[in-house]
Amino acid sequence: MNGKGRGLLIIISGPSGAGKGTICKSFMERNENVALSVSATTRTPRTGEVEGVNYYFMSKEKFTEKIVSNDFLEYAEVYDNYYGTPKSNVEEILESGKDVILEIDIQGALKVKENTEEGVFIFVLPPSMEELKQRIINRGSETPESLMKRFKSAYKEINYISKYNYAVVNDKVEIAVQKLEAIISAEKCRVDRIKESILDSKEGIIHEQLYD
Ligand code: 5GP
């Protein structure tokens, strides 16, 4: 690990159409010491999506092999496709001292919660259910059936908000990103995160931890 210590594992989820992707993209543009985990998926690429940037696209067979060899930190079936977070990438980035964002669905977030002690769990909410519906329609990439499916699941998914540490309403992207930045700053100041370095370190390192 470098002098900065282990990075933060940040899990961002919320219903389809809440705008997690937009928030994450904007957050990534404004912040350097953070990486977005690239997931594996069995779904077909959408126009403009790039292998290794948006997802690692793979067959169901390859995905199943990876499940068997325990390569995923979590995986889930979402809208008839499989999605999973490659474990080794995430671990490497955290060890290097960088923060990692997992932009994943709610089932996946709950599995991360079961499997690891770390993690800051953030739930992104739409300003209203009507707005959520409109955003999914505006995306234009869904069939009427998949639109209904996503909208119905959104109602169910919102019930899981109590499992999360923070909720951010995505009314204006700029404000939502500022809230995300505030959450992460606060998490980095938590005494239980920096306690060991305060107790074990010499003064210079204490200063680095507290004022980095
Ligand atoms: P999309 O097909 O629109 O890119 O993503 C569909 C859903 O899958 C989104 O809610 C997205 O957050 C979620 N998702 C993307 N990657 C992962 C992953 O690695 N694990 C889980 N559990 N969900 C994911």
Side-chain angles (χ1 to χ4, degrees), residues 12-17 20 37-41 43 46 49 54-55 63 72 74-79 81-86 102-109 111 139 141-142 150 157:
I12 300 194
S13 50
S16 180
K20 351 177 248 287
S37 160
V38 179
S39 299
T41 184
R43 92 151 155 71
R46 294 183 187 135
E49 285 185 331
N54 302 91
Y55 283 105
F63 196 97
F72 293 126
E74 62 72 37
Y75 69 91
E77 191 181 350
V78 188
Y79 307 119
N81 286 300
Y82 284 92
Y83 295 81
T85 305
L102 309 187
E103 189 222 310
I104 61 176
D105 93 307
I106 289 153
Q107 310 166 67
K111 282 189 211 155
R139 256 198 321 218
S141 57
E142 311 307 325
R150 283 176 188 241
E157 287 172 346

Side-chain angles (χ1 to χ4, degrees), residues 161-179:
I161 197 164
S162 58
K163 306 272 182 196
Y164 287 70
N165 305 116
Y166 299 93
V168 171
V169 176
N170 180 21
D171 195 349
K172 290 208 164 59
V173 174
E174 170 77 15
I175 309 273
V177 172
Q178 280 171 14
K179 286 184 180 162

